[in-house]
Amino acid sequence: VSERLAELQTTIDAGIRHRKNVLTTVGYQIEKWILWVRKEKAIYHTLNMLNVDVTKKCLVGEGWVPVFAKAQIQEALHRATFDSNSQIGTIFHTLHATESPPTYFKTNKFTGAFQEIVDAYGMAKYREANPTVFTIITFPFLFAVMFGDWGHGLCLLMATLVLILREKKLGRQKLGDIMEMAFAGRYILFMMALFSIYCGLIYNEFFSVPFNIFGPSAYKCRDPSCSDATRGGLIKYRDPYPFGVDPMWRGSRTELPFLNSLKMKMSILLGVAHMNLGIILSYFNAKYFSNALNIWYQFVPQMIFLNSLFGYLSLLIIIKWCTGSKADLYHVMIYMFLSPTDDIGEKSTLLGSKTFTDPIATVGFCCSSLDAPSKTFNFEEATCS
């Protein structure tokens, strides 16, 4: 039994030594084999994109090439022929295709993230205007209109400067999903931070606290204790605040109406202007391709629909700012559809919206009641029989 166990142990030891020798040999060669396999797979992957010529003596590859890259491609093919010691050179020939080429926009590390945002919504056709040129400014600026705090903007600016100044080192590291996304959009965040600081200075908000940065306030309280600031308001005693919102608006009786009018209505104006810009770009695209169908049945209806509603609302906002009217724009827009012929009182005093819906006979009887041609006339106030 002992002899039998000794024989089995010898056999097992021999197997272990053999396995160790084999694995040691494989360990020395495994990286070289992996490299060979990858090269073979890459070669066959490239060959699969080529077609075999009818003579079975050469391979033909077709693809789209940017015009500015022709010289670079010819140089790369010549260098590949020289490095491979090939006796037959590569022929580069330009073909005239009938189908439309794919869209290619040359980007860099600054514009690449903006281009990806635009491409996420839709890829422009070949030779169409690239909206990314406008997005570089409009996208971070519209964000800053909402963000609007130069204290938070400074924090965001310092964080993005770290990503930008260390981009070479961070680009070689494996970052997490969130950090990878932030690093890819570091220049977008940088522009957002700059515009946020600008809008924050206009709003005069540093972590929601106002500061007298550009000089003293133009208003003062009615008494030294300022006890009636939230009830009786303030008194103007000097020139307006040089830049941005006066810090004395904070906590005053008219703070909420003033800031809502500034931020909300200004956002509507910027949004409508942004949408008009996009529609106008579609007009230039249609004009470039001589597509009259898109101009008359896409551009014109979109402009009419947008500006007859939201453009009219923007006009009412500007008129209300200039005239100091107390009309409620919500009621004006809602009742313009629900009850276009009903009188809604002082809420319709902007452009005399009810005036144009009264009967023609009433116009004929009541035009003599006008005191002056420049005055707005409301037919409800006239006495007609």
Side-chain angles (χ1 to χ4, degrees):
V1 172
S2 298
E3 291 178 358
R4 182 60 178 167
L5 290 175
E7 292 177 359
L8 293 175
Q9 186 63 40
T10 302
T11 305
I12 294 174
D13 293 340
I16 292 175
R17 287 193 300 271
H18 178 70
R19 182 179 63 183
K20 183 178 180 180
N21 293 334
V22 172
L23 293 178
T24 301
T25 305
V26 171
Y28 289 133
Q29 303 290 333
I30 186 66
E31 292 186 0
K32 186 184 297 185
W33 293 345
I34 291 176
L35 182 61
W36 285 349
V37 171
R38 288 178 177 176
K39 285 184 177 180
E40 290 290 328
K41 290 178 66 176
I43 291 172
Y44 280 103
H45 176 71
T46 304
L47 291 176
N48 288 334
M49 294 187 291
L50 304 175
N51 297 321
V52 181
D53 188 66
V54 291
T55 60
K56 304 293 183 179
K57 294 182 179 180
C58 64
L59 298 173
V60 179
E62 297 179 0
W64 296 102
V65 176
V67 176
F68 65 87
K70 285 185 177 180
Q72 301 176 14
I73 293 175
Q74 290 178 341
E75 181 183 354
L77 293 175
H78 178 73
R79 186 170 61 252
T81 303
F82 178 79
D83 293 341
S84 61
N85 297 323
S86 177
Q87 298 178 357
I88 301 176
T90 305
I91 301 174
F92 183 84
H93 181 63
T94 303
L95 301 177
H96 297 285
T98 56
E99 62 269 19
S100 178
T103 303
Y104 173 75
F105 294 119
K106 187 177 181 180
T107 60
N108 51 36
K109 61 183 180 181
F110 180 81
T111 60
F114 291 98
Q115 187 66 55
E116 290 181 1
I117 293 176
V118 175
D119 293 343
Y121 288 92
M123 180 71 70
K125 293 192 299 184
Y126 181 67
R127 299 191 71 84
E128 278 189 346
N130 186 10
T132 307
V133 178
F134 304 93
T135 306
I136 294 174
I137 299 299
T138 58
F139 184 83
F141 179 71
L142 292 178
F143 166 83
V145 171
M146 298 181 292
F147 201 62
D149 191 301
W150 64 278
H152 291 95
L154 286 175
C155 295
L156 184 61
L157 178 63
M158 289 186 290
T160 52
L161 285 178
V162 173
L163 296 177
I164 293 174
L165 296 176
R166 303 181 63 184
E167 62 182 9
K168 292 184 178 179
K169 181 179 179 180
L170 294 175
R172 297 189 296 265
Q173 298 178 0
K174 287 186 177 180
L175 307 175
D177 294 338
I178 302 298
M179 281 301 299
E180 191 74 31
M181 187 183 304
F183 179 75
R186 59 193 180 278
Y187 289 101
I188 298 179
L189 297 176
F190 176 74
M191 296 292 291
M192 287 178 175
L194 293 181
F195 281 114
S196 297
I197 295 173
Y198 172 72
C199 291
L201 291 174
I202 292 179
Y203 298 158
N204 199 351
E205 291 189 0
F206 179 81
F207 297 105
S208 299
V209 177
F211 282 88
N212 292 19
I213 303 176
F214 301 100
S217 172
Y219 300 89
K220 65 179 180 180
C221 299
R222 299 177 185 272
D223 54 41
S225 63
C226 240
S227 59
D228 62 341
T230 58
R231 299 187 304 274
L234 304 171
I235 301 175
K236 184 176 181 180
Y237 74 103
R238 57 180 299 147
D239 293 335
Y241 193 67
F243 184 83
V245 177
D246 196 301
M248 288 300 290
W249 283 104
R250 184 72 62 182
S252 65
R253 179 174 58 88
T254 54
E255 174 192 4
L256 188 60
F258 175 75
L259 293 181
N260 282 349
S261 177
L262 171 67
K263 296 180 180 180
M264 295 175 63
K265 292 184 176 64
M266 184 178 66
S267 299
I268 294 175
L269 297 179
L270 293 175
V272 173
H274 196 190
M275 289 187 286
N276 274 289
L277 174 62
I279 298 176
I280 291 172
L281 285 180
S282 68
Y283 165 76
F284 286 109
N285 288 331
K287 183 180 179 181
Y288 179 82
F289 291 104
S290 301
N291 193 340
L293 190 66
N294 284 354
I295 294 178
W296 292 106
Y297 295 100
Q298 179 176 320
F299 167 74
V300 174
Q302 286 179 349
M303 289 295 291
I304 294 175
F305 179 77
L306 174 64
N307 291 291
S308 61
L309 295 178
F310 301 103
Y312 175 65
L313 176 61
S314 302
L315 179 62
L316 295 183
I317 290 173
I318 297 174
I319 293 175
K320 184 175 180 180
W321 278 347
C322 296
T323 61
S325 173
K326 296 182 180 180
D328 191 344
L329 299 185
Y330 295 105
H331 286 79
V332 173
M333 295 300 295
I334 292 173
Y335 286 100
M336 184 174 68
F337 295 97
L338 297 181
S339 302
T341 60
D342 292 347
D343 184 16
I344 55 177
E346 295 181 355
K347 298 181 177 62
S348 62
T349 56
L350 279 171
L351 294 176
S353 55
K354 173 149 189 327
T355 302
F356 303 102
T357 60
D358 280 4
I360 299 298
T362 308
V363 177
F365 282 115
C366 299
C367 279
S368 60
S369 302
L370 288 171
D371 296 331
S374 60
K375 289 186 178 181
T376 303
F377 183 71
N378 193 335
F379 294 109
E380 292 295 322
E381 298 176 357
T383 304
C384 301
S385 61

